[in-house]
Amino acid sequence: QVHLVESGGGLVQPGGSLRLSCAASGSIFSMGMGWYRQAPGKEREWVAAITSIYTTTYADSVKGRFTISRDNAKNTMYLQMNSLKPEDTAIYYCQTIPPTYWGQGTQVTVSS
């Protein structure tokens, strides 16, 4: 069993940047990983994914602004978020697959 803990969320002005981290309690070497987000009253939305061989994919809404990465030696995944917009406001969750584990989320608020 792997426990995931997200961190790095907070309040940022439009155009600003944040880097989210997802720290795993065990090895993520063989796992694909991804980020999802959910705003109040809305469905959970896929944001980005990175495979065990470092192939990355992004939702159209974040392409060119967000970068997903991983450091297997540190059992950590990251989401670098640049040029943030108010519509990026959400709770951000990290996920592993397979097997599927979820973190508890970290709040990102983009507001002036």
Side-chain angles (χ1 to χ4, degrees), residues 2-100:
V2 174
H3 294 279
L4 304 174
V5 179
E6 300 94 336
S7 63
L11 175 64
V12 65
Q13 293 184 328
S17 298
L18 286 172
R19 190 179 78 155
L20 305 184
S21 297
C22 174
S25 63
S27 176
I28 60 170
F29 175 76
S30 63
M31 296 179 175
M33 304 188 74
W35 289 95
Y36 288 75
R37 66 188 183 186
Q38 188 167 25
K42 297 184 178 180
E43 297 180 356
R44 184 169 293 189
E45 174 189 27
W46 171 74
V47 174
I50 183 166
T51 71
S52 61
I53 57 171
Y54 294 82
T55 300
T56 59
T57 313
Y58 299 91
D60 288 342
S61 59
V62 306
K63 284 181 179 177
R65 300 189 297 121
F66 290 11
T67 302
I68 188 171
S69 62
R70 63 191 292 161
D71 187 336
N72 290 343
K74 297 180 179 179
N75 292 327
T76 302
M77 176 182 64
Y78 306 96
L79 185 67
Q80 178 67 46
M81 305 186 294
N82 298 326
S83 301
L84 283 162
K85 304 174 181 179
E87 54 261 44
D88 295 319
T89 296
I91 299 175
Y92 284 71
Y93 300 90
C94 65
Q95 181 203 48
T96 61
I97 187 168
T100 299

